[in-house]
Amino acid sequence: STLMRSSAASDVYKRQLKSRFGVETELNGTQLGEGTTLYGLVTDTSGNPVRGVVVSDGYNCVETDANGVYQMIRYKKARFVWYSTPAGYEINTSADNYPLYYAEIVHKNIADRHDFVLKPLAAPETDFTLLCIADPQCASTADISRYVNETIPDIEATVETFKAKGRAVYGITLGDIVFDTPDLWSNMKESMANRNLPVFQTIGNHDHLQTETSDDNAAANFETQFGPRNYSFNRGDVHVVCMDDVIYTSGTEYTNGFTDAQLAWLRADLSFVPKQKMVILCYHIPLRSGTARNMAAVKALLSEYAEAHLMAAHTHYNENFINTDADGGLYEHIHGAPCGVFWHSALNGDGTPNGFMVYEIDGTKI
């Protein structure tokens, strides 16, 4: 039937939608647009709306309004909706202390509603410590045993040292959590659960499923365990972005860089970040001055900020690389691995011991 677009007809249409599908047309005083397919409310633990929280489906980015409401037309391939934790609020975690800043999108209704609750920090975290963990790359239960008995205790001891100084501590893995072994995903997640710091995750080439030819399908195991592949959060004066820079085609064939859709998302995400902030971009395969897709555009975006650092892995050796092809000479930190040379010894390829990197961040200095 033909629907007349008069105001009265539109009101009838909205009432029919709500009656048939449970779709809301108003939330906490905010009118929802007719085309809205993803929306929700962000409040603090006292029930107050939180304004200015960036929410994304991995393709679009919007801010919550004065009523704490976000709304968007979700991208058809979007699997998650997530928020970029503001600096003044705690990192929400699951019962096993994994960062929990996202919800899976449900497609059974015309529109999906997902609400989030944020807990205000007692005091700002202008100073904090960041642990970057590159390439655990476990291929067997024996590898996991070494990771649990060698790496994890060292991480936890390091965390306690900084906590004793009153510093918050966060961790990020930089990809290759497993080594082409999808059966070990739950074991690896369990190995990092219930620790004394929340650990964010980044996907690597060996975290993609080799039997898939679609990049999205190849990353499905990772997403099932850890959520979005491209996301961000804020701590103090720092905006941290984690991205999938593995463009997977089939089997063991892949290139590195960022798709046009990822570049558009990054540009949208950074549009909400003041230029005086520090940006830390985490990914797996080093960019250096190579031919990674959309590399120049990404570096140009980061060069607009007062301070920016690139965190990469993949090589199993340490390298400090200054990108002279970018304004300001972006610093790419290429990390050695806790697995060293694939758990065959206690050393990385450059002779440094198996381990992880510790960064002390004060304001916008690292």
Side-chain angles (χ1 to χ4, degrees), residues 273-312:
V273 181
K275 294 296 188 289
Q276 67 269 24
K277 299 288 187 180
M278 178 197 291
V279 175
I280 295 177
L281 178 63
C282 302
Y283 48 89
H284 182 64
I285 303 177
L287 299 179
R288 295 194 181 97
S289 294
T291 58
R293 185 174 177 182
N294 281 319
M295 180 181 68
V298 169
K299 289 181 179 179
L301 285 173
L302 297 181
S303 296
E304 296 176 6
Y305 287 85
E307 187 86 2
H309 289 262
L310 311 176
M311 303 295 187

Side-chain angles (χ1 to χ4, degrees), residues 27-103:
L27 177 60
N28 204 36
T30 294
Q31 291 296 315
L32 301 177
E34 285 186 30
T36 295
T37 52
L38 186 59
Y39 67 102
L41 179 64
V42 181
T43 58
D44 63 20
T45 47
S46 298
N48 302 308
V50 184
R51 183 175 191 167
V53 179
V54 177
V55 182
S56 178
D57 64 353
Y59 299 87
N60 310 290
C61 293
V62 297
E63 274 188 314
T64 54
D65 64 14
N67 298 321
V69 175
Y70 72 89
Q71 56 179 310
M72 70 180 78
I73 299 174
R74 71 165 180 261
Y75 187 71
K76 61 183 179 180
K77 292 175 64 177
R79 182 176 176 183
F80 301 96
V81 57
W82 55 263
Y83 61 89
S84 188
T85 305
Y89 295 84
E90 292 185 6
I91 298 292
N92 279 331
T93 56
S94 61
D96 50 5
N97 205 31
Y98 266 104
L100 188 59
Y101 53 91
Y102 62 89

Side-chain angles (χ1 to χ4, degrees), residues 186-201:
S186 58
N187 302 69
M188 279 305 291
K189 184 171 185 179
E190 183 180 356
S191 75
M192 291 180 277
N194 299 308
R195 303 301 177 180
N196 60 355
L197 81 167
V199 181
F200 291 86
Q201 307 290 343

